[in-house]
């Protein structure tokens, strides 16, 4: 008898989880969408005159014709090309790892680069470095693709024409001679922030030769107000760095410290370490968040308050007063003595602040108040003062010497250019024409300087306007050094010779100070020896360690500083009263983009296709606003066939306007909008072209973060946006399970008995279970309590598994290829929702439904419990995807690796082949899949097999072929900064994954289907404070039955570990 | 009315049937023979840029496979030696031989010698040399008696079925680890390959993968 599984819906008395506003409102469009296997048009050729049937007929005929010629029968001659002289250490076919680092504006990321035959293919965090401990983030993971970007320029150009290096040399010598006359007064440098000690050394040398020269540093998203605040609060030359692992109660005010802009990898790691709850009685930290837009940090919040960015100052003043009243403090008295008396922001419950302050005070010096680094300096300084009053300075808040050296700002440089005193401008990286404050008019400024030199790894808007464009190196191509956020010095070791005739910033600077081009690491090594001051012999040893391990620990360490309360008090009168915001005059906040950051990664296909963790938007940015704001402006979003059709608006700020789509973001503060920057760069290359709008066009010096008085007007046009949030919907089936800490303490096994899972009858499968006889049994557990939803795993998986980029058009059809997706569920009311992130990859079901429907046995089970795909067997029926309850299978509708994405529909006429450089990135241990093939997460089977082979090679004639537990990591697990993903062997009872699977809060998705997933989840445990106003203390749905009823059978088929142990 | 079909047509259906059967049988047997790796690969013997004689180097000079194929015990790939390896000896021996001119040219110019590839697994097959030679599978099992080849040729079919023959019954091919590169090795008198092989399978815990993921990733 056919067994029909009626998926039970979530109990009526439970909380509902929703992924989009369409799902929340249950619009007819959404309902129809839900019942389709693929989005409309994804499974048919509706826009093609050639029907599928006639296509097959034609194909058959051409195949027959091709057969007549038998042209393909001769074996093509291939060659094996060995080295003439084999380099040391190279074993053909083996990969090697080297320590290196990716420079960033707020501290470089220590990395390990994996290279195959000399080409870097994958980045990992450096496991030796104490801050990251092997974790990385999406930008580090994706940076390797930038190296191979085909849009990188290959030649030096002068006024757009190819030039020779000798011409550049002559020009530089001429300008040097000219500048020597006036002490360099006519010379200016505008650099991006790399935190490189060697660059600082060369800068000092340049300034020695040309004392009058101007050195300016510009980072669009790091205006340095945190440094200003630290200087006021703790003295000049300091900066502040949080230690999240030391904090028990955290308040983040407009500070997305779990995101990639405000935070460092170590912040996520520290925060997650305080949330790892394993058994009843374990403690958890508590996170309060007050923020304008729903950020990653907001999803982890136990209490979240919607607060406009402009109201943060008055919020913090009230908080400071509450802290003072709870714990009288003389310093805080001084600080608050001159503070303005500001009203509380609209809609903020004073009780929220009071109870939050009480909780912070109750933790003594184990609390932390974090304020966004682009907030005004006065507001941030007040934040430091509150931390000092709570006693956190030196524990959860470290004061350390400032990493970046003081420089001129872009504003004063612009002033000098305007007064015609600058004749030569050297631009080291950056793109001021695109991202400088709009009122400066950099396009005109740049054109007014006679000699401009732009050194940049990418050709951007500034390059196009500069006299000279010098192709720069990627960080994997040249020696360098940089400071990490914790102050340690990282070695940037090149992995490959510059692909094109590139030059690093350091090499380019040596031209300007008249030194010969450095040989290899000579410059970096010289800096190292000057900094370490070691003798020749010791130096050699230490230098080798530095290069091998990749870092030199910060010897300066953190300094304990007392708060300069009068310094803070002097700033406080600058705190603005929260401007009243209304539909006609909105508050705008310029945010970074989680995908392309400030725009530097805009030509990176992996990042363009990376779904934003909150909006799930790909290939675009949009103005984010709350539904109340949207309603009052008459703006709307519609989901049509899974495509987000967004109203376009004309956004006006002062005299500047841009046209942009709006996206209604649940949980956004009312009458405030967020404008992510970094898009709308048509210069960068084919990937960036057409993606999003340029929010920098509205941004000025005074409003580089918060701007008041933005007007949005409907234009009547709409824009189709590619969102992944409604793809692969799993629809109200208790997929995420949450409990408050108190509920968990009483009922640790709650997650196993939510909804249907309390009533599972003894279940049987029609098909024989696979024989699980392997030496290992692989499984994965994801801890939802620590997963922040940052999507680093998605990029890591893309890099490891050769996952193709499919383009916006294909994403709109639901054909994105990511093997792991991070589902983001909202719960509660759309105005004040909470959110949970849940990474979903192939569950590697033991009773896998996909296997039984494959007509050609292309997907089968192996003896170690993996559901494996044999691509060369797959004929593309897609039955497996149809039968997968988790919707984790991905189909190659086109030859994404072989055809240009804008010509996919040209069929056989499309130009074939891919850019040579992009092939270099591919992982040689994973098949590059072709059209017509199904694929899915493999638990990184190539890593498993490699580990098994290594164990056997080591065993030789002994019988110990087991892989030691913990020696094998999947790509997603390795990248995860929160260590939320644990992978390992179930046969080893001591392995972490076995331990986690036996925890009471471990549950599997759709347990009642009896597919026995190998990927399970630890239920999310929140830690709400019952004293907070409107606190939600119960997360477990009420059950509605007596505990004694109906549970006899539960759990009978839950874990199959016993079966194969 | 005369007969429409003359008498000889009585036999026509049978003749057609026999013809079709003969044609079908020859097509099927032809494909079964000619379209398999046993025919398409075995015997492939391209002309190399330098007529390197394995039988001379191994049998007469007694060189071990691993002198040149250095990576075979460590890596998935068994490398073809670089020019430097040849020049280790051939700067002294036969240093002026015209047959070695391509090697000397390569050494002088830095341009590698383009050896013609004989054994090639498809791109979706991930074969690993190191795990085989470290666990008792000799070179001879897949490459034949290269030590007796003056010009190397493809000796075994390397089809998937052929791989699985051994993966399902490794005892037929395992040998002591010190005899891996001795391509003339035979089980010592008094023992059989099967006895020895079964002992190794047991003692070394040999369980080769027979599921897809063993080779396809």
């Amino acid at each position: 008898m056919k067994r029909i599984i009626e998926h039970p819906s979530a109990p009526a008395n439970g909380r509902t989880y929703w992924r989009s506003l369409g799902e929340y409102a249950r619009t007819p469009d959404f309902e129809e969408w839900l019942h389709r296997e693929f989005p409309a048009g994804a499974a048919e050729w509706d826009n093609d005159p050639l029907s599928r049937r006639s296509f097959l007929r034609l194909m058959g005929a051409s195949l027959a014709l091709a057969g007549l010629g038998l042209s393909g029968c001769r074996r093509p001659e291939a060659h094996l090309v060995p080295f003439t002289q084999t380099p040391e250490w190279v074993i053909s076919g083996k990969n090697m790892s080297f320590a290196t680092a990716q420079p960033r504006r707020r501290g470089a990321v220590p990395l390990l680069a994996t290279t195959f035959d000399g080409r870097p293919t994958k980045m990992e965090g450096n496991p030796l470095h104490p801050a990251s401990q092997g974790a990385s983030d999406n930008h580090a993971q994706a940076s390797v693709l930038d190296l191979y970007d085909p849009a990188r320029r290959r030649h030096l150009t002068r006024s757009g024409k190819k030039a020779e290096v000798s011409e550049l040399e002559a020009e530089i010598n001429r300008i040097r001679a000219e500048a020597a006359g006036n002490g360099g007064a006519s010379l200016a440098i505008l650099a991006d922030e790399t935190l490189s000690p060697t660059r600082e050394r060369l800068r000092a040398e340049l300034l020695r030769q040309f004392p009058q020269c101007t050195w300016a540093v510009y980072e669009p998203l790091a205006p340095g107000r945190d440094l200003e605040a630290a200087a006021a609060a703790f003295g000049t030359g300091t900066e502040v760095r949080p230690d999240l692992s030391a904090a028990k109660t955290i308040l983040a005010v407009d500070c997305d410290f779990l995101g990639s802009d405000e935070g460092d990898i170590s912040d996520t790691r520290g925060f997650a370490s305080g949330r790892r709850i394993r058994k009843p009685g374990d403690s958890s930290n508590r996170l309060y968040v007050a923020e304008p837009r729903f950020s990653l940090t907001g999803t982890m919040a136990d209490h979240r308050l919607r607060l406009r960015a402009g109201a943060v100052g008055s919020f913090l003043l009230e908080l400071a007063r509450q802290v003072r009243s709870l714990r009288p403090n003389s310093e805080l008295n001084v600080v608050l003595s001159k503070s303005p008396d500001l009203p509380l922001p609209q809609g903020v419950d004073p009780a929220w602040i009071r109870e939050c302050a009480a909780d912070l005070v109750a933790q003594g010096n184990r609390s932390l108040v974090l304020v966004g680094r682009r907030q005004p300096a006065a507001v941030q300084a007040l934040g430091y003062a509150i931390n000092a009053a709570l006693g956190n300075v030196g524990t959860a808040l470290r004061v350390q010497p400032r990493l970046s050296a003081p420089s001129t700002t872009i504003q004063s440089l612009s002033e000098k250019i305007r007064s015609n005193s600058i004749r030569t401008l050297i631009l080291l990286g950056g793109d001021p024409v695109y991202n400088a404050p709009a009122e400066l008019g950099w396009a005109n400024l740049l054109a007014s300087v006679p000699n401009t030199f732009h050194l940049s790894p990418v050709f951007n808007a500034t390059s196009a306007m500069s006299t000279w464009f010098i192709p720069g190196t990627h960080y994997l191509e040249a020696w360098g050094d940089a400071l990490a956020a914790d102050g340690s010095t990282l070695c940037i070791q090149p992995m490959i010779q510059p692909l094109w005739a590139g030059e690093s910033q350091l090499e380019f600077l040596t031209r300007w100070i008249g030194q010969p081009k450095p040989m290899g690491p000579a410059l970096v090594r010289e800096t190292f020896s000057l900094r370490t001051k070691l003798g020749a012999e010791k130096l050699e040893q230490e230098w080798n360690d530095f290069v091998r391990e990749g870092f030199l620990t910060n010897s300066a360490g953190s300094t304990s500083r007392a708060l300069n309360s009068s310094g803070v008090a002097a700033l406080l009168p600058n705190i603005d009263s929260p401007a009243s915001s209304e539909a006609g005059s909105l508050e705008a906040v310029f945010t970074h983009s989680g995908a392309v950051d400030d725009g530097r990664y805009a030509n990176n296909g992996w990042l363009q296709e990376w779904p934003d963790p909150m909006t799930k938007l790909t290939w675009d940015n949009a103005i984010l606003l709350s539904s109340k704001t949207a309603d009052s402006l008459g703006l709307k979003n519609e989901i049509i066939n899974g495509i987000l059709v967004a109203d376009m608006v004309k956004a006006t700020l002062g005299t500047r306007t841009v046209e942009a789509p709006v996206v209604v973001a649940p949980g956004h503060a009312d009458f405030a909008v967020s404008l992510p920057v970094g898009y709308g760069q048509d210069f960068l290359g084919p990937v960036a072209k057409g993606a999003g709008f340029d929010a920098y066009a509205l941004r000025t010096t005074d409003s580089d973060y918060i701007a008041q008085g933005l007007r949005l007007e409907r234009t009547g046009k709409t824009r189709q946006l590619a969102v992944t949030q409604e793809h692969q919907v799993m629809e109200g089936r208790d997929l995420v399970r949450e409990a408050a800490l108190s509920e968990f303490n009483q009922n640790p096994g709650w997650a196993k008995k939510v909804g249907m899972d309390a009533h599972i009858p003894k279940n049987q499968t029609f098909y024989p279970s696979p024989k699980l006889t392997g030496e290992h049994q692989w499984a994965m557990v994801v801890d939802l309590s620590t997963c922040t939803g940052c999507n680093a795993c998605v990029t890591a998986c893309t890099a490891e598994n050769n996952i193709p980029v499919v383009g916006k058009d294909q994403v709109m059809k639901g054909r994105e290829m990511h093997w792991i997706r991070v589902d983001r569920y909202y719960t509660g009311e759309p105005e004040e929702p909470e959110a949970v992130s849940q990474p979903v990859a192939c569950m590697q079901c033991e009773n896998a439904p996909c296997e039984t429907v494959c007509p050609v046995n292309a997907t089968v089970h192996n003896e170690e419990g993996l559901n494996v795909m044999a691509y060369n067997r797959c004929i593309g029926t897609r039955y497996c995807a149809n039968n997968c309850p988790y919707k984790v299978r991905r189909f190659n509708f086109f030859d994404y690796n072989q055809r240009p994405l804008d010509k996919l529909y040209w069929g056989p006429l499309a130009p074939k082949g891919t850019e040579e450089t992009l092939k270099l990135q591919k992982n040689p241990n994973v098949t590059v899949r072709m059209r017509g093939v199904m694929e899915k997460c493999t638990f990184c089977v190539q890593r498993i097999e490699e580990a098994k082979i290594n164990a056997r090679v080591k065993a030789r004639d002994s019988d110990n072929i087991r892989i030691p537990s913990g020696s094998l990591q999947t790509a997603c697990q390795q990248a995860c900064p929160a260590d939320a993903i644990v992978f390992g062997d179930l046969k080893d009872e001591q392995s972490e994954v076995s331990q986690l699977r036996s925890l009471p809060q471990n549950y599997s998705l759709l347990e009642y289907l009896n597919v026995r997933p190998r990927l399970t989840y630890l239920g999310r445990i929140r830690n709400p404070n019952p004293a907070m106003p409107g606190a939600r203390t119960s997360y477990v749905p009420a059950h509605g039955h007596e505990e004694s009823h109906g549970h006899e059978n539960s759990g009978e088929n839950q874990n199959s570990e016993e079966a194969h142990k | 009315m005369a007969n429409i079909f003359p008498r000889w047509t009585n036999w026509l259906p049978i003749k057609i049937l026999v013809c079709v059967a003969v044609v079908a049988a020859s097509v099927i047997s032809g494909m079964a023979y000619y379209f398999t790796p046993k025919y398409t690969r075995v015997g492939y013997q391209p002309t190399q840029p330098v007529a390197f004689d394995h039988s001379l180097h191994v049998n007469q000079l007694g060189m071990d496979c691993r002198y040149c194929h250095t990576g075979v015990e460590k890596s998935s790939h068994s490398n073809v030696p670089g020019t430097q390896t040849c020049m280790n000896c051939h700067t002294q021996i036969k240093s002026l031989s015209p047959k070695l001119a391509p090697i000397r040219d390569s050494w002088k110019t830095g341009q590698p010698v383009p050896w013609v590839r004989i054994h090639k697994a498809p791109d979706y097959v991930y074969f690993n040399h190191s795990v085989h030679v470290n666990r008792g599978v000799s070179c001879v099992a897949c490459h034949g008696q290269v030590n007796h080849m003056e010009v190397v040729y493809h000796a075994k079919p390397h089809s998937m079925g052929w791989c699985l023959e051994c993966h399902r019954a490794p005892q037929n091919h395992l040998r002591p680890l010190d005899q891996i590169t001795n391509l003339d090795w035979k089980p010592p008198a008094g023992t059989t390959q099967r006895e020895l092989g079964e002992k190794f399978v047991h003692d070394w815990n040999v369980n080769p993968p027979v599921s897809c993921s063993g080779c396809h990733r």
Side-chain angles (χ1 to χ4, degrees), chain A residues 75 80 92 94 927 956, chain B residues 74-75 115 118 134 217:
Chain A
R75 180 172 170 157
L80 289 164
S92 189
K94 275 253 171 197
T927 308
R956 281 179 66 84
Chain B
K74 305 179 196 98
S75 168
W115 300 101
I118 299 171
N134 279 302
R217 291 158 204 170

Side-chain angles (χ1 to χ4, degrees), chain B residues 161-176:
Chain B
W162 174 85
C163 291
L164 282 170
E165 263 171 37
C166 182
H167 272 231
R168 288 183 178 135
Q171 62 274 17
N172 295 339
H173 295 273
L174 298 183
R175 57 173 71 186

Side-chain angles (χ1 to χ4, degrees), chain A residues 810-872:
Chain A
Q810 296 289 305
V811 175
M812 288 200 291
K813 291 189 160 71
R815 295 173 179 176
E816 66 272 13
M817 297 299 289
H818 295 144
W819 286 1
I820 184 170
R821 65 174 190 267
V822 180
D823 287 334
R824 179 265 302 118
Y825 293 97
Y826 289 117
T827 160
E829 297 301 310
E831 289 296 314
E832 298 276 2
E834 291 177 342
V836 196
S837 298
Q838 181 174 44
V840 180
C842 174
M843 300 282 154
Q844 314 285 350
C845 313
E846 287 178 8
N847 294 333
C850 50
E851 291 169 8
T852 53
V853 294
C854 181
V856 292
N857 266 355
T859 183
V860 292
H861 231 75
N862 82 359
E863 59 275 12
E864 300 186 336
L866 296 182
N867 167 236
V868 297
M869 262 312 292
Y871 304 121
N872 40 315

Side-chain angles (χ1 to χ4, degrees), chain A residues 736-749:
Chain A
V736 287
R737 298 180 184 179
E738 298 182 273
L741 188 58
S742 53
E743 289 176 306
F744 169 70
N745 286 337
Q746 281 166 15
N747 177 15

Side-chain angles (χ1 to χ4, degrees), chain B residues 190-203:
Chain B
T191 58
T192 62
Q193 170 64 44
R194 204 175 171 81
E195 278 169 28
L196 270 178
E198 271 165 6
K199 180 177 174 307
F200 293 145
V201 167
H202 175 264
D203 291 355

Side-chain angles (χ1 to χ4, degrees), chain A residues 103-229:
Chain A
R104 300 256 180 102
R105 57 180 174 273
R106 283 194 183 123
V109 180
L111 295 173
L112 276 189
T114 304
T115 66
F116 279 97
D117 295 333
R119 22 180 209 105
T121 57
K122 178 84 170 54
M123 312 309 294
E124 306 291 359
N126 184 346
L128 296 176
H129 193 275
S132 76
Q133 294 174 32
S136 52
D137 62 6
N138 62 327
H139 292 146
Q141 290 289 342
S143 62
V144 69
L145 190 65
D146 278 340
L147 168 67
Y148 300 115
D149 185 352
R152 285 178 69 189
R153 294 298 161 111
R154 296 156 199 214
H155 309 291
L156 192 67
T157 54
R158 175 184 204 167
S159 312
K161 291 188 196 69
K162 192 178 162 189
E164 296 301 320
V165 179
S166 54
E167 292 173 57
L168 176 72
E169 270 170 8
E171 184 73 358
I172 291 176
N173 287 337
R174 186 185 66 76
I175 292 170
R176 270 172 52 81
E178 188 187 290
N182 59 15
S186 62
L187 191 65
I189 290 105
L190 178 63
D192 58 4
E193 186 59 89
T194 60
L195 300 175
S196 161
T198 301
R199 197 179 84 174
E200 279 314 302
R201 194 165 62 76
L202 297 179
R203 168 187 172 180
E205 174 61 25
L206 187 75
L207 288 174
R208 195 187 59 74
Q209 293 184 12
F210 304 105
Q212 305 295 316
C213 115
T214 310
W215 184 289
V217 170
Y218 177 61
E219 276 295 339
L221 296 184
R225 285 194 283 270
D226 53 330
L227 302 171
E228 223 177 291

